[in-house]
Amino acid sequence: MTKEILSLGELKNKAIGFDRAEIRDVHVIKEQDDYLCKDVMGVWNIDKNMLACLGPKNYAVIQHKHAVESLIDAITSLNIKANAELQMSKHGIHVDFDFFESKFELKEVGEQFTTGIRIVNRYDLVAGLVISPRVTRLACTNGMIVTDVIKSQRIKFTEEMNITIEGVIDKIIKDIITNDEKLANYVSICMRDSVEWNTLKLLLKHMFRTKKQVKEIYARIDQNKERPTRWDFYNAVTSYATHGERLRPHVEAWLQNKAQSIMKTTFADLCKIELPQIETE
């Protein structure tokens, strides 16, 4: 799936053409019987003219256009310089904002990063607007979702949504920078944890869904190393998630979740969890 790199102004113009949605009544009809569901409503994608999902009666849809405009207004109000990477799905928008001037360094491990956020707004889920912390590793421009360090935020529709979003973005940036020691600790432990190549190949085979995923991730690991580290493994997965061609947003999100599991789980534990255990009598 194509990713578009946009300035905030370009993204705001693009948002004018995003799909719209509305809440509609749900009827259960059989022959002459027409029952109006009292507790369930349908989220209807107006522009695709189809049902996106069912939701509770009091659910309020956040329009894609409103979500993006609120985020851009909040980023502008905070005087943050940003670029955006947009992906569209059937009923959703997925935008990675990179705050390229907001940099920090993990001196303990010799790595530099920029801060950022990922936003997801979907009509086919009643999750509201989800804002997740994201950092970009400058050595390779891999995007890294770090919800194990800072939790994602879910925002529901309110009249004060712009103000809420501004506060969330400001807090996420501060939390990323103030939690640099926690992130450095994760990275440092990953760098010291290594495994035999044959074991890594088995983990790849059992952790990932397709031969293409296994091949793409394996090719991103330095083959000249005597033993690959968990940091090598993690970066290979985030590299594929960030730079892999035509990845659908849900696949990229699944890969980022896998990468987070790799970051926080030792090779020994990954082998216990992911590899079939041989039973002995």
Side-chain angles (χ1 to χ4, degrees):
M1 187 156 292
T2 305
K3 297 180 180 179
E4 294 182 78
I5 309 296
L6 305 166
S7 68
L8 296 188
E10 289 169 335
L11 179 60
K12 201 165 191 175
N13 287 334
K14 187 92 176 176
I16 296 170
F18 285 166
D19 285 355
R20 300 158 296 159
E22 64 183 7
I23 298 294
R24 295 187 180 182
D25 289 335
V26 174
H27 292 255
V28 178
I29 300 172
K30 183 179 180 180
E31 297 176 351
Q32 302 302 317
D33 294 331
D34 184 344
Y35 176 77
L36 173 64
C37 297
K38 297 178 181 179
D39 299 322
V40 177
M41 300 292 284
V43 179
W44 189 264
N45 187 321
I46 298 168
D47 294 277
K48 287 191 169 60
N49 195 31
M50 64 188 302
L51 181 70
C53 75
L54 299 176
K57 193 79 171 180
N58 60 351
Y59 183 69
V61 176
I62 298 176
Q63 302 295 328
H64 294 334
K65 178 175 178 287
H66 187 196
V68 165
E69 287 178 346
S70 297
L71 281 150
I72 291 172
D73 289 346
I75 291 167
T76 304
S77 178
L78 290 166
N79 198 29
I80 299 170
K81 304 296 183 186
N83 286 326
E85 184 176 274
L86 169 68
Q87 275 188 291
M88 309 287 292
S89 59
K90 188 173 183 179
H91 295 294
I93 58 167
H94 308 248
V95 188
D96 286 337
F97 290 95
D98 179 34
F99 307 146
F100 52 84
E101 290 188 355
S102 178
K103 299 178 182 178
F104 68 101
E105 182 178 2
L106 302 182
K107 294 180 180 179
E108 300 90 336
V109 294
E111 293 277 6
Q112 287 187 318
F113 302 85
T114 58
T115 64
I117 56 172
R118 163 168 295 178
I119 72 104
V120 177
N121 195 59
R122 292 173 58 175
Y123 297 148
D124 55 346
L125 288 176
V126 288
L129 176 65
V130 180
I131 304 179
S132 302
R134 183 180 185 273
V135 298
T136 300
R137 184 182 177 222
L138 293 182
C140 55
T141 66
N142 288 354
M144 299 159 52
I145 304 302
V146 288
T147 51
D148 282 310
V149 180
I150 300 111
K151 297 299 181 185
S152 296
Q153 301 289 322
R154 295 180 184 271
I155 297 173
K156 295 182 179 180
F157 178 81
T158 66
E159 295 298 329
E160 294 79 31
M161 196 169 81
N162 289 39
I163 298 170
T164 303
I165 289 174
E166 184 175 322
V168 167
I169 293 172
D170 189 42
K171 185 176 186 303
I172 283 177
I173 293 172
K174 289 175 180 175
D175 283 351
I176 290 173
I177 294 171
T178 56
N179 280 279
D180 62 345
E181 190 173 312
K182 187 176 180 180
L183 183 58
N185 188 50
Y186 271 125
V187 175
S188 180
I189 292 170
C190 281
M191 286 179 164
R192 296 195 300 268
D193 189 14
S194 65
V195 75
E196 296 289 344
W197 279 102
N198 284 340
T199 304
L200 182 66
K201 290 175 183 177
L202 284 172
L203 283 170
L204 278 165
K205 179 181 177 182
H206 288 279
M207 289 180 68
F208 295 92
R209 293 173 173 170
T210 66
K211 290 181 179 179
K212 182 180 179 181
Q213 289 175 357
V214 171
K215 182 180 177 181
E216 288 276 0
I217 294 166
Y218 185 75
R220 286 169 161 80
I221 302 173
D222 184 357
Q223 309 294 308
N224 295 317
K225 300 192 76 168
E226 185 178 343
R227 287 168 63 95
T229 67
R230 197 149 43 90
W231 183 237
D232 297 325
F233 191 16
Y234 172 84
N235 278 297
V237 178
T238 57
S239 173
Y240 180 46
T242 304
H243 305 295
E245 293 184 4
R246 303 185 66 81
L247 290 178
R248 293 182 179 276
H250 73 276
V251 174
E252 195 265 352
W254 181 84
L255 287 167
Q256 287 285 358
N257 285 335
K258 281 290 186 185
Q260 288 193 82
S261 295
I262 292 165
M263 176 176 271
K264 68 183 182 182
T265 312
T266 66
F267 270 135
D269 286 339
L270 280 173
C271 289
K272 290 177 185 177
I273 295 166
E274 302 290 349
L275 301 184
Q277 301 301 305
I278 300 173
E279 295 184 6
T280 58
E281 293 183 1

